[in-house]
Amino acid sequence: AQKITQTQPGMFVQEKEAVTLDCTYDTSDQSYGLFWYKQPSSGEMIFLIYQGSYDEQNATEGRYSLNFQKARKSANLVISASQLGDSAMYFCAMSTILSYQLTFGKGTKLSVIP
Amino acid sequence: NAGVTQTPKFQVLKTGQSMTLQCAQDMNHNSMYWYRQDPGMGLRLIYYSASEGTTDKGEVPNGYNVSRLNKREFSLRLESAAPSQTSVYFCASRAKGRLNTEAFFGQGTRLTVV
């Protein structure tokens, strides 16, 4: 079984500041992938960033980076220079090579304050 | 490109009625998923189909059935709708075989059971 835990139901960040959204995971598989998605108030799911369990470097995509700590089973999303448009729900998800299920956490609602 | 198309976008059902949510993807993906999203619960997996011809239960399969009609289409059926099935339903698809492939989501179906 695989499980994703997001412990921050809501977060506030000042515009232009950086923010870290927490994600911990649990799986017995050695080969897995971790994903972050953004869901604005309009409802669509937008893929942000991916980290593989065997990737040696932390993933980065523009203002998004993933702080991957394998021993601690954490995959935190860091958003630098927050913008008002970053206000949204953020979901962490994982998939393993064995089951191919895609399991999501409960999400974190981020609000960017002008 | 249409991507993942879900129909309908909105639906109101009476308790006990049945309906089928349709999902089609045009990206030649092997894997398809059905999720429900409820406030504070994140996205919970109902059923998934790792490849054409296979379906598996997810976290919350009770009260639902699925059909993988062909590689493109994956439908979700509610045989006897209950108010507890009021939710937003998302279909997603994903290429199989590589972990680093993200899932693409439909726009969602907002279902209300009265």
Side-chain angles (χ1 to χ4, degrees):
Chain A
Q2 55 200 54
K3 185 177 179 181
I4 293 284
T5 302
Q6 294 181 256
T7 57
Q8 306 155 314
M11 291 276 289
F12 290 90
V13 64
Q14 205 76 38
E15 194 178 6
K16 300 180 184 177
E17 297 292 311
V19 63
T20 299
L21 306 183
D22 294 342
C23 173
T24 58
Y25 60 91
D26 189 28
T27 180
S28 56
D29 292 335
Q30 297 302 307
S31 183
Y32 52 87
L34 297 153
F35 304 81
W36 277 92
Y37 282 82
K38 173 184 178 181
Q39 186 181 43
S41 57
S42 52
E44 72 266 32
M45 295 290 288
I46 302 168
F47 166 72
L48 295 177
I49 195 167
Y50 167 83
Q51 178 82 44
S53 58
Y54 292 114
D55 293 343
E56 293 183 354
Q57 305 257 7
N58 285 343
T60 60
E61 288 288 346
R63 293 186 300 111
Y64 304 108
S65 61
L66 206 151
N67 183 0
F68 181 48
Q69 299 186 43
K70 194 170 181 177
R72 298 180 64 182
K73 294 191 173 180
S74 73
N76 299 338
L77 177 70
V78 180
I79 305 175
S80 63
S82 296
Q83 302 172 355
L84 295 178
D86 294 334
S87 293
M89 284 290 291
Y90 289 82
F91 293 100
C92 181
M94 78 176 297
S95 182
T96 71
I97 199 71
L98 292 178
S99 77
Y100 229 69
Q101 284 191 41
L102 186 60
T103 302
F104 283 79
K106 293 185 177 182
T108 296
K109 183 175 182 179
L110 178 67
S111 300
V112 181
I113 304 166
Chain B
N1 284 339
V4 179
T5 303
Q6 285 182 238
T7 55
K9 287 186 170 47
F10 300 93
Q11 184 72 48
V12 179
L13 285 180
K14 293 182 179 179
T15 298
Q17 286 185 319
S18 62
M19 79 162 295
T20 299
L21 280 65
Q22 306 285 355
C23 176
Q25 52 91 11
D26 62 2
M27 295 173 283
N28 201 35
H29 286 166
N30 296 99
S31 299
M32 298 186 74
Y33 306 82
W34 275 106
Y35 293 90
R36 60 177 289 171
Q37 182 178 16
D38 303 292
M41 300 299 292
L43 278 80
R44 292 183 291 171
L45 184 64
I46 304 171
Y47 272 92
Y48 69 107
S49 172
S51 59
E52 186 179 359
T54 68
T55 60
D56 289 285
K57 295 179 180 179
E59 181 185 355
V60 288
N62 291 346
Y64 305 95
N65 286 302
V66 291
S67 295
R68 183 74 183 265
L69 304 170
N70 47 55
K71 192 172 184 180
R72 290 187 64 247
E73 299 171 285
F74 188 40
S75 62
L76 179 72
R77 183 161 178 84
L78 288 70
E79 290 290 352
S80 179
S84 61
Q85 294 178 305
T86 293
S87 188
V88 179
Y89 291 85
F90 284 96
C91 176
S93 73
R94 185 174 174 221
K96 189 185 178 185
R98 294 171 57 194
L99 271 176
N100 65 342
T101 54
E102 75 267 29
F104 292 81
F105 284 80
Q107 292 299 302
T109 296
R110 186 172 294 274
L111 175 67
T112 302
V113 183
V114 298

